[in-house]
Amino acid sequence: MSNKRDYYDVLGVARSAGEDDIKQSFRKLAFQYHPDRNSSPDAAEKFKEASEAYQILSDPEKRQAYDRFGHAGVDGSSRGFEGFGFGGMGGIFEDFYNFFSDASGRQNSPVNGDDIHLGLDLTFEEAALGTEKVVRISRSENCSVCHGSGAKEGTQPDQCPECKGSGRVQRVQQSIFGRFSNVSPCNRCSGTGQIVNDPCGSCGGNGHERFNREIKLVIPAGVDNGVRLQMSGQGHAGGRGGSPGNLLVSLKVKKHEFFQRDNNTVIYDLKVSVAQAALGAEVTVPTLYGDSSLKVPAGSQGGDVFTLRGKGIPFFRRSGKGDQLVHLTVVVPKKLSKEQKRLFEELDASFELEKKKK
């Protein structure tokens, strides 16, 4: 008695399934388990099993014999599978050819140029308020003589005789799973589909030349550390008429001497004397937009926070600005002169007197 699985179960179709249903089911299983796409240990066996089932059920005579006598009725026919006899399976494997051909892509299609990556240091103020910078880059550009074709002026590249201009070559291989077509880039033209027989004297047939360029960058206000700016079309030249790449600039913002940043808020630590905190004072506070006057109320404590509205960092690519927060620090002198010490002692005594009166 055969230990093979029922062919209908293998393909996952009912016994009343039509030819299209059987073909569609096998196509799905074949793509799922084909060894070129599935590296699991049992993929090859499942692919072989599904192929054998399709070979029998897609043939009306063999299917009729299988329906009447089971595996015993088609044992001779199914041996044809072991000898690569796939009968009417050409259409299925043509689908495989199309799939793997499409996966390889068209080698002679336009290729976009590579991006250029650049790092740029900014001061705190430049990042906050925006600025303009000139950066120097080295990039490939289309040859000014042949305009990227690689051929001598007045001539054009010839079609590659190996691949007939497609950029790809097809090689047919025979395996235990049948006859397969492998598509790969043409070695003679490196997948371009063209041969330059009379190269350009300026670029040597490469089609590109190297140039050092100065690029003006407009840094918008509000950028922060790690922001990446993109200048479209300022990268390396593309190939076969493809678009040039982009210039990608990653920003690094230096720390400020006394400002700190929290998103769009600027933080500044203001140091005042004990007398200023106790009596109150009007002090000058630096901001990104120049000095600003701040009134410190009498009796202010260390840790108090004052807000200067609209003195913070502009929002990146939208209107409005953040605020500046002024954190108050009361500085206690470490050394006192005799006169200062006497005055503090008198002040302390007056505080004690006030306590006793209460």
Side-chain angles (χ1 to χ4, degrees):
M1 183 176 180
S2 176
N3 59 357
K4 293 182 179 180
R5 292 174 60 202
D6 182 85
Y7 287 147
Y8 291 99
D9 290 342
V10 170
L11 297 182
V13 296
R15 289 188 171 271
S16 59
E19 182 180 342
D20 290 341
D21 292 333
I22 291 174
K23 184 176 182 179
Q24 183 177 0
S25 178
F26 172 65
R27 180 184 285 109
K28 180 179 179 181
L29 292 172
F31 275 109
Q32 181 178 354
Y33 293 115
H34 189 275
D36 287 349
R37 301 191 67 218
N38 191 329
S39 59
S40 61
D42 60 344
E45 189 61 34
K46 288 184 177 180
F47 177 79
K48 180 179 176 181
E49 183 183 48
S51 300
E52 182 177 332
Y54 178 75
Q55 182 196 18
I56 299 300
L57 299 184
S58 62
D59 186 302
E61 293 183 5
K62 294 176 183 179
R63 181 178 179 180
Q64 184 178 17
Y66 178 74
D67 288 342
R68 292 186 62 186
F69 304 107
H71 291 291
V74 293
D75 275 349
S77 299
S78 63
R79 291 193 191 100
F81 175 81
E82 303 293 340
F84 317 126
F86 283 84
M89 296 173 68
I92 293 293
F93 287 101
E94 185 176 349
D95 290 342
F96 272 95
Y97 164 72
N98 291 335
F99 173 82
F100 290 112
S101 297
D102 291 343
S104 67
R106 292 187 175 272
Q107 299 299 322
N108 61 347
S109 59
V111 177
N112 292 337
D114 292 332
D115 295 332
I116 296 176
H117 296 264
L118 185 69
L120 180 64
D121 291 334
L122 297 177
T123 66
F124 189 94
E125 289 87 352
E126 287 173 336
L129 303 178
T131 186
E132 291 184 356
K133 292 282 188 178
V134 175
V135 296
R136 293 173 176 82
I137 61 173
S138 175
R139 71 184 179 193
S140 64
E141 300 179 9
N142 284 336
C143 174
S144 57
V145 176
C146 68
H147 307 292
S149 72
K152 185 178 180 180
E153 189 175 11
T155 68
Q156 293 293 329
D158 297 320
Q159 184 185 82
C160 175
E162 184 74 18
C163 64
K164 309 302 181 186
S166 69
R168 302 176 297 170
V169 291
Q170 176 185 347
R171 296 177 177 85
V172 179
Q173 295 178 330
Q174 193 81 11
S175 74
I176 63 171
F177 303 110
R179 184 172 175 270
F180 288 97
S181 296
N182 177 37
V183 179
S184 59
C186 176
N187 291 328
R188 184 165 180 178
C189 66
S190 301
T192 64
Q194 297 178 329
I195 297 292
V196 177
N197 292 314
D198 198 358
C200 171
S202 181
C203 65
N206 178 268
H208 293 157
E209 293 180 289
R210 201 83 179 183
F211 293 93
N212 294 321
R213 299 296 190 191
E214 291 188 346
I215 306 296
K216 181 180 178 181
L217 297 178
V218 178
I219 312 296
V223 297
D224 202 354
N225 197 48
V227 167
R228 190 174 71 173
L229 303 179
Q230 174 177 309
M231 294 195 69
S232 299
Q234 294 294 340
H236 295 296
R240 299 191 290 277
S243 301
N246 303 317
L247 173 60
L248 304 177
V249 183
S250 298
L251 304 180
K252 183 178 180 181
V253 182
K254 299 176 182 178
K255 291 185 178 180
H256 196 273
E257 180 184 0
F258 45 77
F259 287 141
Q260 296 180 51
R261 178 173 180 172
D262 182 11
N263 293 323
N264 293 85
T265 300
V266 174
I267 300 172
Y268 175 72
D269 290 328
L270 174 64
K271 296 179 180 180
V272 296
S273 67
V274 174
Q276 288 176 311
L279 301 175
E282 186 168 337
V283 297
T284 299
V285 176
T287 74
L288 290 170
Y289 311 96
D291 291 341
S292 183
S293 179
L294 174 68
K295 289 185 178 180
V296 178
S300 294
Q301 305 292 311
D304 287 352
V305 179
F306 304 98
T307 302
L308 298 178
R309 299 293 181 189
K311 296 296 185 180
I313 296 172
F315 294 105
F316 184 39
R317 289 176 176 164
R318 65 185 179 93
S319 60
K321 299 177 183 177
D323 300 325
Q324 178 168 320
L325 302 182
V326 180
H327 290 197
L328 194 65
T329 299
V330 178
V331 180
V332 177
K334 294 181 179 180
K335 292 183 179 180
L336 297 173
S337 65
K338 290 183 178 180
E339 178 63 16
Q340 290 171 334
K341 185 176 180 180
R342 183 184 66 79
L343 292 173
F344 269 109
E345 288 174 346
E346 290 182 2
L347 181 61
D348 184 56
S350 67
F351 288 149
E352 289 296 327
L353 184 62
E354 287 292 329
K355 289 181 183 179
K356 289 179 181 180
K357 289 180 179 181
K358 292 180 181 179

